[in-house]
Amino acid sequence: MSGTQALKQSDYAGRRISRTVAAHARRLAPVLIAAAVLNGCQSVLDQSYQPNVSPSSSPQIVSEVQKNDPRAQMGAREHPRILASYGGEYKDARTERLVARIAGALTSVSENPQQSYRITILNSPSINAFALPGGYLYVTRGLLALANDASEVAAVLSHEMAHVTANHGIERQKREEAEVIASRVVSEVLSSDLAGKQALARGKLRLAAFSRQQELQADEIGIRTLGQAGYDPYAAARFLNAMEDYSHFMTANSDADQSLDFLSSHPSTPQRIDLAKMHAREFGEEGKVGDAGRDYYLNGIDGLLYGDSPEEGYVRGQTFLHGGLGIRFDVPPDFHIDNKVEAVMATGPGDIAVRFDGVADNQNQNLTNYISSGWVTGLDPSTIRAITVNGMEAATARASADRWDFDVTVIRDRSQIFRFLTAVPKGNTTALQQTADVLRSSFRHMTPEEASSLKPLRVRVVTVKAGDNITTLAARMMGTDRKLDLFKLINALPTGANVAPGDRVKIISE
């Protein structure tokens, strides 16, 4: 195991549980958000040039070009926070080359040819893209999975590049500095200095402060860049519609927290879509101008990681499994598991919420002492007791805060302490006991067979064969109980649409 992998696993508190109890946690217990692991960022553009002569003694790489740019310095300060909240950088040579190709076409016709860009693909299933001052551009692998051709990704990137060109980020920061920014302390139940720092980072990452006029200006500049680069200029309006469809799909899950998704910072309206089409008409009639770049785009995302990453573990129905850590547990029926960067959250009927995370245990500390060491507020010391969980040393206790009762369970496994926090409305002790019992009894080591059988979900591009139809193709989807809806969504298929032999479509499978 590499040092980075060990850090990721030992600092698992920072990697595992937060925003579903964000949907409930706005009402439920705000919980500890521990430090997320930072992955180093290397620009895609830095990697794209492969010299066939001896290297220059003073190469013109992005970091060199930007070193005296105060705007780039502003972006550099925020860059680690972006990586921390979006799971780090997604490393895949084929996908990086695809995004670099798209971005390169756009920069060649940019309104500010002197502006350099650092483009990072974020290892997050969230669907988002954004820019920071100085040319820091970000796109999530979730957005790449939703897009259906290169022109749609180009539309998103050109819009974000337009924010940079127009210095919207600078204007936004000036407005923010003129206001008093208050951050809520996320420690009603658990206390940590890191919680406040992560809350501040999350607040800054909402990136929702562009004005309506700035968004429309970025649309206009971006679509002009899109068309001049030879891409389909109507892709901007098309992808805005796709984002609306995605939003509707997600709202069917009332627990889903979309705070890190595109529409939270780029609201779409019918007027905005109409204006996007109007700008596109300057290049010609829809369907007759520009290159969509569909085939090479699908080639570039075939095999793209989808949903949970191996470093974050997997959700399979009512079970959470983590091959690297070698552990698994179940939640009760009718619970929904949300596997996020900070922690694993589960929510169930009657406003019951569960948070699971883990911390390094290098001192082999006594667990009853650990549970009373100050990280749980409202703890009832008389309830602390030592137990065993499937052969592992453990301890439990009860706590109360505001309108909530809590069961706290900690389990030692080698050099880790894993932590379950179960919250129920005050007085609902039966549900508290039943839920905590399910978590404790099901928490165990994975068998070697279970660990070896775990595979991440990926975007797979398949060619429609004779006899295939939307229903049969959707049946091959994995990782969702809404197979047909998700199949239509990721392939931008409207109601009543059909597929024909020879068409290429995306499915989600191992």
Side-chain angles (χ1 to χ4, degrees):
M1 181 187 303
S2 70
T4 301
Q5 289 172 324
L7 177 60
K8 284 180 178 178
Q9 294 183 4
S10 65
D11 193 20
Y12 192 56
R15 306 270 315 163
R16 277 292 49 100
I17 318 178
S18 139
R19 291 190 302 276
T20 305
V21 178
H24 281 280
R26 294 184 183 96
R27 315 189 302 275
L28 275 177
V31 240
L32 168 68
I33 302 176
V37 179
L38 301 185
N39 289 333
C41 170
Q42 183 179 17
S43 167
V44 172
L45 294 182
D46 289 348
Q47 300 173 338
S48 62
Y49 174 58
Q50 300 294 328
N52 54 15
V53 295
S54 59
S56 167
S57 59
S58 56
Q60 292 302 297
I61 59 176
V62 173
S63 58
E64 182 69 19
V65 172
Q66 292 184 338
K67 69 179 182 180
N68 296 318
D69 183 354
R71 295 178 176 84
Q73 293 169 12
M74 292 169 61
R77 286 195 300 269
E78 298 299 323
H79 181 70
R81 301 187 187 191
I82 299 290
L83 293 181
S85 283
Y86 282 87
E89 185 175 359
Y90 181 66
K91 294 286 192 178
D92 179 83
R94 180 164 54 176
T95 309
E96 291 171 18
R97 286 194 296 268
L98 171 66
V99 175
R101 174 178 178 175
I102 296 170
L106 297 172
T107 55
S108 67
V109 296
S110 168
E111 295 196 356
N112 182 5
Q114 304 305 313
Q115 175 67 60
S116 57
Y117 293 93
R118 301 177 65 101
I119 304 176
T120 302
I121 304 173
L122 295 168
N123 188 21
S124 171
S126 299
I127 297 178
N128 209 349
F130 45 88
L132 295 179
Y136 282 76
L137 297 182
Y138 302 89
V139 60
T140 61
R141 59 175 170 82
L143 186 145
L144 298 178
L146 179 64
N148 272 284
D149 56 50
S151 67
E152 291 181 358
V153 174
V156 172
L157 290 179
S158 63
H159 174 94
E160 299 306 331
M161 292 167 69
H163 280 309
V164 175
T165 299
N167 282 329
H168 290 163
I170 304 295
E171 296 173 19
R172 176 177 62 192
Q173 186 177 59
K174 288 178 180 177
R175 283 201 313 275
E176 290 174 346
E177 290 173 349
E179 300 171 356
V180 177
I181 302 177
S183 74
R184 185 179 304 168
V185 178
V186 199
S187 57
E188 178 183 337
V189 182
L190 306 178
S191 57
S192 169
D193 290 340
L194 293 170
K197 293 176 183 177
Q198 188 73 2
L200 178 60
R202 253 217 209 267
K204 295 178 78 66
L205 287 171
R206 304 251 177 220
L207 300 171
F210 285 135
S211 70
R212 177 178 176 276
Q213 186 58 39
Q214 287 173 330
E215 289 292 354
L216 294 178
Q217 183 183 11
D219 282 347
E220 181 178 3
I221 297 172
I223 293 168
R224 186 162 61 244
T225 302
L226 187 66
Q228 290 172 349
Y231 284 112
D232 177 4
Y234 291 88
R238 193 164 65 244
F239 198 66
L240 284 171
N241 277 320
M243 289 302 311
E244 287 287 358
D245 292 340
Y246 163 76
S247 180
H248 294 152
F249 177 84
M250 292 300 290
T251 53
N253 172 13
S254 60
D255 293 329
D257 173 25
Q258 300 174 48
S259 63
L260 293 185
D261 283 325
F262 192 80
L263 288 183
S264 67
S265 55
H266 299 76
S268 178
T269 64
Q271 181 198 24
R272 188 177 173 194
I273 293 173
D274 288 344
L275 287 172
K277 290 180 178 179
M278 181 189 74
H279 296 314
R281 289 189 194 102
E282 296 179 10
F283 293 90
E285 186 178 344
E286 185 171 5
K288 297 183 178 180
V289 291
D291 177 28
R294 179 169 168 81
D295 280 339
Y296 76 77
Y297 183 77
L298 291 178
N299 293 339
I301 65 166
D302 191 12
L304 179 74
L305 187 65
Y306 185 87
D308 301 333
S309 67
E311 294 81 6
E312 308 295 341
Y314 302 102
V315 175
R316 297 292 186 262
Q318 307 305 112
T319 303
F320 174 76
L321 311 97
H322 197 297
L325 297 172
I327 55 94
R328 58 171 290 165
F329 65 86
D330 302 327
V331 298
D334 300 325
F335 271 62
H336 170 78
I337 303 177
D338 197 11
N339 183 23
K340 296 297 184 181
V341 170
E342 300 83 4
V344 178
M345 307 297 285
T347 52
D351 283 347
I352 306 173
V354 175
R355 175 186 169 103
F356 170 79
D357 66 14
V359 293
D361 176 32
N362 299 319
Q363 300 176 345
N364 198 36
Q365 54 197 307
N366 180 280
L367 290 184
T368 57
N369 290 341
Y370 171 72
I371 213 168
S372 62
S373 61
W375 59 278
V376 180
T377 60
L379 184 72
D380 180 354
S382 69
T383 64
I384 300 174
R385 61 189 180 95
I387 61 171
T388 59
V389 170
N390 288 320
M392 290 171 278
E393 180 188 355
T396 68
R398 293 291 174 88
S400 294
D402 192 24
R403 299 177 293 111
W404 305 98
D405 289 333
F406 303 92
D407 179 279
V408 183
T409 298
V410 295
I411 305 168
R412 173 179 288 121
D413 181 29
R414 296 175 285 258
S415 60
Q416 309 273 335
I417 294 178
F418 293 106
R419 309 185 298 190
F420 285 104
L421 174 70
T422 305
V424 301
K426 188 160 283 188
N428 196 355
T429 55
T430 299
L432 182 62
Q433 185 69 44
Q434 290 174 343
T435 304
D437 283 346
V438 170
L439 299 170
R440 284 190 289 261
S441 64
S442 64
F443 184 87
R444 63 173 175 83
H445 291 132
M446 296 175 63
T447 66
E449 293 76 20
E450 286 173 330
S452 63
S453 68
L454 273 182
K455 296 179 181 178
L457 297 178
R458 297 186 181 276
V459 175
R460 302 295 185 187
V461 178
V462 300
T463 301
V464 178
K465 299 178 181 178
D468 284 339
N469 56 48
I470 288 177
T471 303
T472 61
L473 290 165
R476 298 166 60 182
M477 299 277 287
M478 299 176 65
T480 177
D481 56 1
R482 300 169 60 197
K483 295 184 177 185
L484 183 59
D485 290 342
L486 184 58
F487 177 78
K488 289 180 177 179
L489 175 68
I490 63 173
N491 288 289
L493 295 172
T495 301
N498 269 314
V499 292
D503 289 349
R504 302 177 74 197
V505 295
K506 296 179 287 182
I507 64 171
I508 307 301
S509 66
E510 292 181 344

